[in-house]
Amino acid sequence: MRVLIVEDDDLLAAGLLKVLEQSGYAVDWVNNGELADRALNDGEHDLVVLDIGLPGMDGLQVLKRLRSRGQTIPVMILTARDDVSDKVRGLDFGADDYMVKPFELNEFEARLRALIRRAVGVSGVRLSCGNLVLDTISHRAWVGDAEVAFTVREWAVLEYLLIHQGQVLSKDRILQAVCNWDDSISPNAIEVYMSRLRSKLEPLGVNVRTIRGFGYLLDAQDAESER
Ligand code: CA
């Protein structure tokens, strides 16, 4: 999942970036409203963390423009402690959740995960496909009783496949979801991650199918038929 952070407080932004990257999100950061507006218009992100008090175009304006373009990406706004009206207007303008500064990073991350779950229509903290189970809080995964370890990037790819199970995902789409602007990995790298995922999962009976010319597919039927 790829997150855009819009925050002009460098220190806070760096903290958010760090905690999200450690959890396997691909994260981009901009520090003003104009850049945020441009980035969101490109539609590459799965979620945006949007500070309201920004130089130039403020967060509410960015949000208003986002929703007026019909974009449904989940938005978490960040507001100053004493500004209740920002919070209310933010929600009225279509924000999905808010955090009041200062806040605990743990709570921030938990709320963000909840937002993503709501957005993709998943109700629990565990994602599953056949025998494969991913715990999105502890970042542990199992196939049946066997625990499987993944690198952060492998995890990001696998989580994306699980969230979109039953759909064929192109290399470009996966790449966009797991890489930020600073990553210089090529679409071919996705093939490398896929082959690593396969070598870990296939002996346990979970298949990632390649649909030639289209992309990759993980579905429960495949996972179960191998049991
Ligand atoms: Ca600010």
Side-chain angles (χ1 to χ4, degrees), residues 44-147:
E44 292 178 327
H45 296 91
D46 302 297
L47 187 141
V48 56
V49 177
L50 179 61
D51 184 31
I52 296 299
L54 293 168
M57 188 193 297
D58 74 9
L60 289 172
Q61 203 60 30
V62 174
L63 178 59
K64 215 170 163 179
R65 289 174 51 85
L66 176 78
R67 293 305 188 221
S68 72
R69 289 192 296 267
Q71 292 180 276
T72 56
I73 171 175
V75 177
M76 177 186 286
I77 52 172
L78 306 181
T79 69
R81 183 202 289 274
D82 46 8
D83 215 332
V84 181
S85 66
D86 272 358
K87 189 169 81 187
V88 172
R89 279 192 299 162
L91 292 170
D92 279 345
F93 283 173
D96 300 277
D97 199 0
Y98 63 86
M99 294 292 289
V100 177
K101 296 181 197 177
F103 50 80
E104 292 290 329
L105 287 179
N106 283 345
E107 186 188 348
F108 165 77
E109 207 202 333
R111 293 241 215 141
L112 206 78
R113 277 198 301 264
L115 260 190
I116 289 175
R117 284 200 300 275
R118 280 210 297 277
V120 299
V122 176
S123 56
V125 296
R126 289 190 163 194
L127 297 168
S128 67
C129 177
N131 277 344
L132 171 67
V133 177
L134 262 64
D135 185 313
T136 58
I137 294 181
S138 67
H139 287 99
R140 293 172 69 190
W142 297 266
V143 178
D145 295 330
E147 182 162 3

Side-chain angles (χ1 to χ4, degrees), residues 6-9 12 31 51-55 78 80 101:
V6 187
E7 172 57 71
D8 61 321
D9 177 337
L12 176 58
N31 61 6
D51 184 31
I52 296 299
L54 293 168
L78 306 181
K101 296 181 197 177

